[in-house]
Amino acid sequence: MPTVSMTVNGKQVSGEVEARTLLAQFIRENLELTGTHIGCDTSQCGACVVHVNGSSVKSCTMLAVEADGADVTTIEGLAMDGDTLHPMQEAFRDNHGLQCGFCTPGMVMSAIDLVDRNPNPTDSEIRDWLEGNICRCTGYHNIVKSIAAGAAAMRGQKAAAE
Amino acid sequence: MYDFSFQSPASAADAASALGAAEDGKILAGGQTLLPTMKQRLAMPSDLISLKGCRDLVGISSDGSTLTIGAMTTHGAVAASTEVAKAIPALSALAGGIGDPQVRNRGTLGGSLANNDPAADYPAAVLGLGATVVTTKREIAADDYFQGMFETALDDDEIITAVRFPIPQAAGYAKFDNPASRYALVGVFVAKTAAGPRVAVTGAGQGGVFRASDIEGQIASGQEPNSASIDEGELNGDIHASPAYRKHLIGVMAKRALASAG
C-alpha cells in the first residue's frame, strides 16, 4: 500500500493507505479529525471542504495520495490555541450562521478561501462563491451575513497585524 | 470505488509510457469528473497515472498573438490570470463559470478536453477560437480534435500537454446553465478572427460540441444571429430542456455571446 505524508494543521503526519482512499477518509479515519464532514460523497455539498496548499478543495473528490507532500488545513486547524475561535468561526456564532451545523465546517473553510482572495466581498459575490456549499437548514441568509461579518473581522485582524 | 495501482511520474513523456504499459490505465488530472465516475463504478481503471508531479504541464504564457495554457492549469488559475484576462477575457469568464470554486481549484483544462463532456464549457472555447491541442505525440487542430460525445482524436497512450489559443479580435461566451450543476444546457462561444467569425455550441448537440456555420455566416454578413437552420433532430433532450428549447436557446445565447464580444 502507498504511504502518504503531509502537514495537517501544522503537524507532520503520515500513514499507509489504499490508493483509493479519499483525502476526506484519511482525515477522518486515519487522523480522527472528524470536523471534516462527508455529506454527499458526490462533490456537490461542500461539507468536506478543506484547504490544500491554501486553496479550498472538496476532500471527498481528491485522493489522499494526491495530497502527498501537501499542506492541509481542516476546520480543527483554525482555532489554533483551542480557545480563541478564528474570526470567521466567531462570525458564524454571532450571526446564527448555522442550525444543525453539519455543513458549517465546509462553509467556514470555503468562506476563508473567499476572503483570502477577495477581502471585501459583496453579498452577491458571497452567494456566488457558495455555489459548491449546500445548507439544508438556514436558507443561506445568515450564512451570507456571517461571512460578510467574518470578512470584516479578518480585515480588522490583518490591519491590526500590519 | 475499486482499488487500482497508483503512479505519479515526473513528466508527461513518462506518464504516456506508463499509460501505454498499463492494462487499463487512466490519466488522473484534477479528478473532478474521473473520481466521481469511479465512485459510481462507471470507470474501473487498473492503473491511475497522476499528472500532479508534471510541473511542466502547468502555466500560462502569451506572446501577443497566441495564448498558451498548460494542460494541468486549473480553471481557477485561468479565471484569476491577468495574462488571460488581457488576451482573451471571454476565456477568463468561461473558466470562472465552471462548476463551483472548489471544482475550479482542482479541475484542469487538459482533463476537461480529454473527457469531452458534451455539456462542458472548455470545448466551446477551444473549438470557437480554433485552438491547437498539443499532445505528447503531435498537434491537433480543434476542428479535428472533437469527435463526438466523450470522443476525441487522442490515442490510448496520448496525453494533452498544452493548448494554444490564437488571440482573436474579440470573443464572447454565453451559457444558459443548469442551476444545480452549472453545466451548460446550452453554451455558445463566438470569436471574431481575421479569417471571419467562428461560433461553437456546447451542451446542445447529441455529438457534443459543434460549429454553427450558419450563425457564423449571419455574423459575417452583419445579421442578428438566429438558430432557425439548426436541425432539432441533432440536439439533446432531457428532463432539463427539450431539443426545441435548446434550439431556441442557441439563438439567444449566440446573440448574448456576440453582444459580450462587442
Side-chain angles (χ1 to χ4, degrees), chain A residues 9 11-12 41 44 49 59 63-64 68-69 85 94-96 106 140 145:
Chain A
N9 302 332
K11 281 187 207 138
Q12 189 65 33
D41 202 21
Q44 299 176 61
V49 170
S59 62
L63 298 173
D68 190 38
L85 292 179
D94 293 347
N95 291 279
H96 201 80
Y140 302 97
K145 230 167 92 181

Side-chain angles (χ1 to χ4, degrees), chain A residues 29-82:
Chain A
E29 294 167 22
N30 292 55
L31 306 180
E32 297 182 344
L33 293 171
T34 53
T36 298
H37 291 167
I38 298 178
C40 68
D41 202 21
T42 54
S43 341
Q44 299 176 61
C45 80
C48 68
V49 170
V50 301
H51 294 182
V52 175
N53 296 330
S55 286
S56 57
V57 306
K58 291 182 170 171
S59 62
C60 83
T61 311
M62 179 170 182
L63 298 173
V65 287
E66 287 276 276
D68 190 38
D71 188 2
V72 176
T73 307
T74 72
I75 189 78
E76 288 91 344
L78 297 181
M80 284 310 275
D81 63 8

Side-chain angles (χ1 to χ4, degrees), chain B residues 76-99:
Chain B
V78 172
S81 157
T82 48
E83 194 103 67
V84 177
K86 211 174 83 192
I88 315 178
L91 192 60
S92 306
L94 176 146
I98 298 173

Side-chain angles (χ1 to χ4, degrees), chain A residues 83-113:
Chain A
D83 288 329
T84 317
L85 292 179
H86 184 283
M88 189 59 78
Q89 292 174 304
E90 195 70 54
F92 269 72
R93 183 166 73 173
D94 293 347
N95 291 279
H96 201 80
L98 58 144
Q99 286 179 33
C100 87
F102 194 87
C103 71
T104 312
M107 289 284 178
V108 170
M109 297 310 288
S110 192
I112 292 170
D113 190 22

